[in-house]
Amino acid sequence: MRHCTLVELAGERGIRLPAALTEDWPPRLSGTDERGWFRFQRLYDTARSVLRRPGDVRRLLTETAQDERADGSGWLEIQVDPSGYAGRFGGITDMIELVLDAATAATAATGVGIGVIVAANRTKHPLEARTLARLAAQYVGRGVIGFGLSNDERRGAAHEFAAAFRIAERAGLLLDPHGGELAGPASVEACLDELHADRIGHGVRAVENPAVVKRLAAEGITCEVCPSSNVALGIAASPEQVPLRRLAEAGVPVALGADDPLLFGTRLTAQYEIARHAHGFTDAELAGLARMSVLSSAAPEPDRSRLLAGIDAWLAAELPARNTRGSG
């Protein structure tokens, strides 16, 4: 959500926002302990609370697609937990249909394709995750492309959600749980062993165990890395300490993402800037990251070919331009 949209909708609905979402925005965050994570989650829930009408959801999706397009993205995958909105929008089925309808309209308005990942919440009962997995399975081919697992990975062991992921796996959905962020490399292994992950949200703490890194590389499991998020939540002390290059040089597929731009204050382009300036990624390496974000996505043809061609065209144009500037 755009910050200005949050403030506007909160004002219209008489919702008082904390200072962290107004004059002190973007907020100072921490996820390294339960108190810090609770504060982060409370701010997240406060932001969600301003969505009260179907038009709010449609606006959110359209503005998000507009902002992604402005940042150079042509395909967006969003994780949605329908149960978090069910009470306001008629239940989980009505909510997912609203999101899918809004996504279709946003794509028509912006040209940015959108795939929806239905995400269960680790802090809720595993039976709810099974319900959401069945819901996701019903919408395969109609905009839902994956199934995820979010919230504090220090709570809700992966094996408790294995049955939900088997439902999603049988339906052919992309399996995309969070892991290796708040908890260490064992949580990454659990995502692989128990949840059969195709991608892992974050995964950066895999570097604490070389065997886990080798496994990610060997199995071609993509890690969705957001340097700004890692720094904001205290996972890394600075952008330079995010193990982006270590993962990439070890052969782990890496796709950069913006995580939660509203709370972190940055979007996609900022992650590529960190890769260039904090980690020394060259144009060719940045193009490699961009390609991986396409190849590890559920983007359909011809979107995939179009996006890959755009990356190649950028690199072909950028290299001569840099050589010209360098020789001047």
Side-chain angles (χ1 to χ4, degrees):
M1 190 187 304
R2 291 175 180 169
H3 182 246
C4 59
T5 298
L6 169 68
V7 174
E8 179 186 329
L9 292 179
E12 289 179 1
R13 281 81 206 262
I15 297 172
R16 183 177 179 181
L17 298 176
L21 292 177
T22 52
E23 60 264 26
D24 294 337
W25 181 85
R28 295 181 181 178
L29 301 167
S30 172
T32 56
D33 56 51
E34 287 195 20
R35 182 177 180 182
W37 182 260
F38 175 79
R39 180 173 180 267
F40 165 73
Q41 191 62 45
R42 185 172 60 184
L43 291 174
Y44 195 96
D45 292 339
T46 299
R48 291 196 307 177
S49 72
V50 306
L51 301 175
R52 299 290 177 88
R53 303 166 185 163
D56 300 338
V57 177
R58 295 190 180 95
R59 174 180 176 178
L60 172 63
L61 267 292
T62 297
E63 291 182 348
T64 298
Q66 290 170 343
D67 292 343
E68 289 297 310
R69 182 180 62 185
D71 256 22
S73 177
W75 173 259
L76 171 65
E77 293 180 358
I78 58 171
Q79 290 208 16
V80 180
D81 177 2
S83 64
Y85 302 90
R88 277 171 275 158
F89 293 101
I92 58 173
T93 299
D94 286 352
M95 180 57 191
I96 199 63
E97 290 190 350
L98 172 59
V99 169
L100 293 174
D101 180 67
T104 299
T107 295
T110 66
V112 176
I114 299 176
V116 175
I117 298 173
V118 174
N121 187 332
R122 283 181 181 269
T123 67
K124 296 184 179 179
H125 199 282
L127 287 176
E128 183 173 305
R130 295 189 204 183
T131 299
L132 290 173
R134 295 188 186 98
L135 176 71
Q138 293 175 22
Y139 290 89
V140 172
R142 293 191 279 170
V144 172
I145 53 92
F147 185 70
L149 184 63
S150 60
N151 212 308
D152 190 344
E153 67 199 270
R154 296 166 296 199
R155 300 172 59 189
H159 70 84
E160 297 176 354
F161 299 91
F165 274 77
R166 295 296 75 75
I167 294 169
E169 187 175 31
R170 288 193 294 269
L173 290 162
L174 186 150
L175 307 179
D176 188 18
H178 279 59
E181 179 194 20
L182 303 176
S187 74
V188 175
E189 288 186 295
C191 287
L192 299 174
D193 295 334
E194 305 290 348
L195 307 181
H196 302 175
D198 299 304
R199 294 198 318 240
I200 294 179
H202 299 289
V204 290
R205 293 187 59 188
V207 298
E208 297 169 17
N209 186 333
V212 177
V213 173
K214 289 181 180 179
R215 183 176 176 187
L216 289 171
E219 297 182 16
I221 306 300
T222 299
C223 288
E224 306 164 355
V225 178
C226 177
S228 293
S229 166
N230 293 159
V231 174
L233 290 175
I235 310 305
S238 68
E240 291 79 9
Q241 292 189 22
V242 176
L244 177 60
R245 182 169 284 285
R246 289 173 64 187
L247 289 169
E249 290 186 345
V252 177
V254 172
L256 294 180
D259 205 352
D260 297 308
L262 174 64
L263 295 185
F264 301 130
T266 59
R267 301 197 71 88
L268 184 61
T269 300
Q271 314 316 312
Y272 281 88
E273 290 172 344
I274 289 173
R276 182 189 292 285
H277 300 300
H279 297 277
F281 275 62
T282 65
D283 289 340
E285 289 173 323
L286 292 176
L289 291 173
R291 288 191 194 100
M292 186 52 61
S293 71
V294 176
L295 296 173
S296 62
S297 76
E301 292 290 350
D303 296 80
R304 182 178 295 241
S305 295
R306 173 177 56 84
L307 293 168
L308 291 172
I311 295 166
D312 292 340
W314 172 82
L315 184 60
E318 190 67 14
L319 290 177
R322 284 190 176 275
N323 290 336
T324 299
R325 289 195 294 269
S327 63

